[in-house]
Amino acid sequence: MGPLLLGCIADDFTGATDLANNLVRAGMRVVQAIGVPDGPLAAEVDAVVIALKSRTVPPAEAVAQSLAALRWLQARGARQIYFKYCSTFDSTAQGNIGPVAEALMDALGTDFTIATPAFPDNGRTVFKGHLFVGEVLLHESGMQHHPLTPMTDANLVRVLQAQCRRKVGLIDHKVVAQGEAAVRARIAALRAEGVGLAIVDAVSNEDLLRLGPALKDLPLLTAGSGVAIGLPANFGLAPSSRASALPPACGLQAVVSGSCSLATNRQVQAFIASGQPALAVDPLRIAAGVDVAAEALAWAEPRLAAGPVLVYSTADAGAVKAIQGRLGVEQAGALVERCIAAIARGLVERGVRQLLVAGGETSGACVQALGIAQMQIGPQIDPGVPWCHAPSDAAPGAGLHLTLKSGNFGTDDFFTKAFTMLR
Ligand SMILES: Nc1ncnc2c1ncn2[C@@H]1O[C@H](COP(=O)(O)OP(=O)(O)O)[C@@H](O)[C@H]1O
Ligand SMILES: O=C(O)[C@@H](O)C(=O)COP(=O)(O)O
């Protein structure tokens, strides 16, 4: 196996597939590893995305996990490191984008990196350092109500500065629009001013493609998945459908959702409105000690043969706040994640081989419960969300098709459309 071109560290599991998807589409062969790999890679690849569950853990833990991933990638000769976070810049008051970025800078001995969550294909654009989600600023996008990482300020220079020791600057759109030489000159000027991290404006894929060549020599990039579209060309790679081939799909179909994002709420409603079977799980009953996972599996089992079933804890912002008020934010999140993960495993043990998981933290819990170590990346369903294929100890034999949907991604009919794509 040759040295890696790109070594990637993602702060959650859906985010990791999102990044892998953009790299694959731009021509890289990619494996997504769940945590730092402890065995050989499943295939010859150009890039590895190590998926961590480090977005909402205490900063010191996120740093330790990220440095362990970095050491593994460095040992495989990775020529450039990419720290992937959310396109809505999800972070807690303590981090973890700033602390992890700075720890990686220290470990790599570099004095400068960029930071941009821009992902125009999904409506995430950055202008004058401010993040827009679709037509509105970040703090008006619904993200202000996120259960774990409420985002209340769209000014990313300010948000990142609050998380960093180093000075944070801006490479604004006027510079990006002029292309590689102007971006390089701006980076040199910022370095001379002692700026360590710069938010980069980008409002279109063209901006990201113009940015790519200017980033070629930076040891570390930090970004959402958007920046990835301009990187494979730096290594002489071009788009090819060969990179995304998966084995044929088989088995039963199911959706589990622990995401409470606006897009997922719409997708759950659309699935229910289409008349397909759906069951809500109640966090208060889980907290009361009821075996909600066993109940859900007993409900699902007789229905699976007829088509996809949905089990969800998805709720609107008001309902989530009420639950968190009763159980505490972390306790509510952890209880629901454990329950949905047990349901996902039980469904696979009952023959589900096409599984859709909605929610980043939820996906992390499910993938761990399914004993999945590595995932092969397949074709895109919607921007940022590919089908994947993975061996799982709950699915002996050929493994299972799996898609990890970021909370805010996908069209309203995603829960139905995803399965029709596999036919
Ligand atoms: N009804 C609910 N009440 C409170 N918390 C919930 C509920 N449903 C899910 N959660 C928790 O909310 C969090 C959602 O995060 P995540 O899975 O990352 O979704 P997203 O991708 O939309 O951010 C998880 O920790 C999940 O367990
Ligand atoms: O960059 C993105 O928006 C996604 O890849 C992502 O990280 C989303 O996280 P969740 O909303 O927690 O799924």
Side-chain angles (χ1 to χ4, degrees):
M1 180 142 329
L4 292 176
L5 302 180
L6 201 58
C8 310
I9 304 167
D11 70 352
D12 87 343
F13 290 27
T14 44
T17 49
D18 171 14
L19 173 59
N21 178 55
N22 275 353
L23 292 172
V24 164
R25 283 162 57 77
M28 274 190 166
R29 297 165 304 165
V30 183
V31 158
Q32 175 174 335
I34 307 304
V36 178
D38 58 5
L41 290 178
E44 174 80 21
V45 288
D46 305 307
V48 171
V49 181
I50 297 183
L52 302 177
K53 204 168 177 305
S54 59
R55 187 172 291 173
T56 56
V57 301
E61 215 176 293
V63 164
Q65 286 185 29
S66 305
L67 291 177
L70 174 67
R71 282 191 290 276
W72 188 93
L73 294 165
Q74 284 179 310
R76 265 84 199 155
R79 284 166 44 189
Q80 189 169 45
I81 300 296
Y82 192 127
F83 168 40
K84 155 73 175 72
Y85 39 74
C86 192
S87 65
T88 40
F89 219 68
D90 297 17
S91 31
T92 64
Q94 292 74 40
N96 292 329
I97 295 175
V100 170
E102 292 203 282
L104 294 173
M105 290 174 77
D106 292 341
L108 287 161
T110 184
D111 67 338
F112 184 84
T113 189
I114 58 137
T116 181
F119 187 9
D121 276 351
N122 261 324
R124 277 57 160 168
T125 54
V126 182
F127 189 68
K128 304 278 179 208
H130 287 71
L131 176 56
F132 291 81
V133 178
E135 307 303 310
V136 299
L137 286 162
L138 174 65
H139 62 278
E140 296 165 348
S141 69
M143 281 306 297
Q144 68 273 34
H145 302 304
H146 190 278
L148 305 176
T149 51
M151 299 303 293
T152 54
D153 188 359
N155 180 331
L156 298 185
V157 175
R158 197 158 53 207
V159 172
L160 188 57
Q161 188 65 78
Q163 300 178 16
C164 286
R165 287 179 278 114
R166 291 172 174 81
K167 202 163 145 196
V168 177
L170 175 66
I171 301 177
D172 84 3
H173 193 256
K174 277 203 293 280
V175 173
V176 175
Q178 292 169 54
E180 179 180 356
V183 175
R184 284 183 182 272
R186 177 70 178 148
I187 289 175
L190 288 169
R191 270 187 153 135
E193 285 169 29
V195 168
L197 301 96
I199 301 292
V200 186
D201 281 357
V203 299
S204 64
N205 283 349
E206 290 66 39
D207 287 338
L208 293 171
L209 293 170
R210 263 194 295 272
L211 182 63
L215 305 178
K216 195 171 175 183
D217 306 322
L218 295 180
L220 173 69
L221 305 175
T222 87
S225 68
V227 164
I229 69 171
L231 300 184
N234 287 347
F235 300 98
L237 298 171
S240 136
S241 59
R242 172 185 72 102
S244 66
L246 292 185
C250 61
L252 304 173
Q253 303 167 326
V255 183
V256 292
S257 175
S259 160
C260 297
S261 296
L262 291 177
T264 308
N265 270 285
R266 288 196 298 271
Q267 288 152 358
V268 167
Q269 289 315 316
F271 188 88
I272 295 169
S274 72
Q276 297 175 86
L279 179 75
V281 303
D282 175 357
L284 292 180
R285 295 185 72 240
I286 307 173
V290 176
D291 192 346
V292 172
E295 284 181 358
L297 290 168
W299 169 86
E301 197 156 12
R303 292 173 169 84
L304 281 166
V309 302
L310 164 65
V311 181
Y312 65 98
S313 66
T314 305
D316 64 24
V320 170
K321 273 241 147 7
I323 295 290
Q324 290 178 333
R326 299 275 294 272
L327 302 177
V329 175
E330 277 168 33
Q331 168 81 341
L335 273 179
V336 174
E337 284 171 37
R338 268 201 301 276
C339 177
I340 300 269
I343 293 168
R345 184 167 177 107
L347 288 168
V348 172
E349 285 168 349
R350 284 158 181 76
V352 167
R353 293 292 179 273
Q354 301 172 39
L355 179 68
L356 194 167
V357 185
E361 298 294 325
T362 308
S363 292
C366 289
V367 162
Q368 280 166 351
L370 288 166
I372 289 173
Q374 286 181 28
M375 293 165 54
Q376 195 186 336
I377 308 301
Q380 171 173 296
I381 306 165
D382 267 333
V385 202
W387 272 113
C388 305
H389 186 267
S392 155
D393 59 21
L400 79 147
H401 284 74
L402 184 72
T403 180
L404 309 180
K405 190 199 78 72
S406 295
N408 273 313
F409 287 177
T411 53
D412 291 358
D413 61 349
F414 189 90
F415 291 176
T416 306
K417 178 173 79 178
F419 296 108
T420 46
M421 238 193 91
L422 277 185
R423 274 193 210 128

